[in-house]
Amino acid sequence: MPELELPVFDPSSEFAIGVDVGGTKINVGVIGRNGKVVCSNSLPTLAGECVVEDRVAIAISRLLQGVHDNEPLLTVRGIGIGTAGQVEWETGVIRHASDLLPGYTGTPIKSLIARKFGMPVHVDNDVNVLALAEKYAGAGRQADHMVCLALGTGIGGVIVDKGKIVHGLWGGAGEIGHMSVDYRGLPCICGGRGCLEAYASGTSIAKRMNERLVATGTMEDDGPLDTRETVRRWMSGDAVAAAVMDEAFEALGAAVASLLHVFNPQVVVIGGGLADVGEPLLRRIEEETRKRAMPSFLNGVKIVPSSSGNQGGMIGAAMQLWEYA
């Protein structure tokens, strides 16, 4: 990919580049200050085959070339990256990445991309930037105090206090998936016990469903069920799936109630792949939360779905250029 010699950088621009780095694909787009996507494209991450930061650079270069070809006068104020893995927020170094992104741990992605494209770069965890999408263009626009939960393969979380993301010492705050909801509970991949993620992540829901089927001798010949099928069976009234999902909702209710007591938010945003189930899932989470939270902390709190959809990571990544200007 040849180096671009284009006058694309303008610190006063009303547009920024947003990059969403996942284990399967990289989404990249030009995003307006209002959260609207001007243009976008995707590139396979090819994790384990290619160097992640090289794929990010290729995705950005192709986007900029497309901008130059179609909107030659459009400029951007910088690049925001939301990425899987633990991020040292101030330095933009990947503190730890799972096996979904081999060789990514230790990558100084902020400095590498800034050096290549000659413009400001901000990097944060992929769930943190989803909260920025909600803050600027979604359910959190009127909320100074917000909690976000991303229910997917794992469970991620974000705390927003006085309008700002709580990053903690190096950027690891908000690891809600590993908050224990039962100190004698199920073992978790993190080494702890009773973590929310051990009950309510997509991975754990499917695992526990299949364990129950094996235990009752009702496992079907076509093999283990995935999360989507477990949820479908729950919504159809299947008793085994209902037992699994009841535990997941009880764990989520316990977690959200504790978060209300600790952070006293105005709104709790539920996102991630599981949130696509919609109203039935939100209703059960709210029911279980109300059983456990003090009435004074429930007063005025809204539990709402994420409004950013599958472009939320890309949108929120770009919003860093205004959030941390």
Side-chain angles (χ1 to χ4, degrees):
M1 180 69 65
E3 294 294 330
L4 294 174
E5 296 182 358
L6 307 175
V8 294
F9 172 58
D10 177 358
S12 64
S13 174
E14 291 298 296
F15 302 94
I17 295 171
V19 185
D20 180 16
V21 182
T24 303
K25 64 182 178 179
I26 298 166
N27 295 324
V28 59
V30 174
I31 317 296
R33 185 169 189 164
N34 58 0
K36 301 297 183 183
V37 179
V38 176
C39 58
S40 65
N41 59 47
S42 295
L43 191 72
T45 309
L46 301 180
E49 301 176 39
C50 299
V51 178
V52 176
E53 61 267 29
D54 290 348
R55 297 296 286 173
V56 171
I58 291 170
I60 295 170
S61 294
R62 289 181 179 176
L63 178 77
L64 288 175
Q65 187 62 64
V67 169
H68 177 65
D69 292 344
N70 298 290
E71 297 283 350
L73 299 181
L74 190 147
T75 60
V76 296
R77 65 192 293 127
I79 300 167
I81 299 173
T83 179
Q86 297 176 354
V87 179
E88 292 184 359
W89 177 62
E90 291 187 348
T91 64
V93 173
I94 305 303
R95 187 181 182 95
H96 176 74
S98 73
D99 292 340
L100 289 175
L101 292 169
Y104 196 37
T105 299
T107 300
I109 192 165
K110 177 177 180 176
S111 61
L112 291 173
I113 298 300
R115 190 179 309 125
K116 181 170 181 63
F117 292 99
M119 62 180 77
V121 175
H122 294 280
V123 182
D124 207 344
N125 172 268
D126 51 3
V127 183
N128 282 354
V129 301
L130 282 173
L132 291 182
E134 298 298 331
K135 174 181 174 179
Y136 280 86
R141 278 177 291 183
Q142 306 300 322
D144 287 334
H145 305 279
M146 176 172 64
V147 172
C148 298
L149 279 171
L151 310 179
T153 304
I155 295 179
V158 189
I159 308 300
V160 176
D161 183 59
K162 297 179 181 177
K164 299 296 182 183
I165 290 175
V166 177
H167 282 96
L169 177 62
W170 51 261
E175 195 65 85
I176 293 170
H178 297 288
M179 179 174 69
S180 180
V181 293
D182 181 356
Y183 71 94
R184 291 180 176 172
L186 295 173
C188 181
I189 58 171
C190 72
R193 298 195 73 88
C195 294
L196 175 62
E197 191 167 295
Y199 297 91
S201 70
T203 302
S204 295
I205 287 170
K207 177 183 176 183
R208 291 184 301 107
M209 178 67 176
N210 289 301
E211 287 173 347
R212 284 176 179 264
L213 292 175
V214 169
T216 56
T218 54
M219 176 67 79
E220 298 169 10
D221 293 337
D222 53 358
L225 303 184
D226 61 12
T227 309
R228 187 182 300 275
E229 177 62 15
T230 302
V231 171
R232 188 194 69 76
R233 292 189 181 197
W234 163 62
M235 296 182 72
S236 299
D238 179 88
V240 178
V244 171
M245 295 303 295
D246 282 346
E247 286 188 357
F249 290 127
E250 289 168 8
L252 284 163
V256 173
S258 294
L259 292 166
L260 296 186
H261 295 156
V262 174
F263 296 105
N264 192 204
Q266 298 159 267
V267 62
V268 178
V269 179
I270 308 293
L274 278 174
D276 292 343
V277 174
E279 195 273 338
L281 179 136
L282 287 170
R283 184 178 67 247
R284 284 300 313 280
I285 293 174
E286 186 168 0
E287 287 174 358
E288 296 299 332
T289 300
R290 289 189 176 279
K291 291 178 184 178
R292 295 164 173 82
M294 288 186 278
S296 55
F297 284 82
L298 285 166
N299 186 32
V301 175
K302 296 179 180 178
I303 299 177
V304 299
S306 169
S307 57
S308 55
N310 59 15
Q311 291 185 318
M314 187 175 68
I315 294 169
M319 293 302 106
Q320 293 179 92
L321 273 297
W322 288 277
E323 179 73 4
Y324 307 123

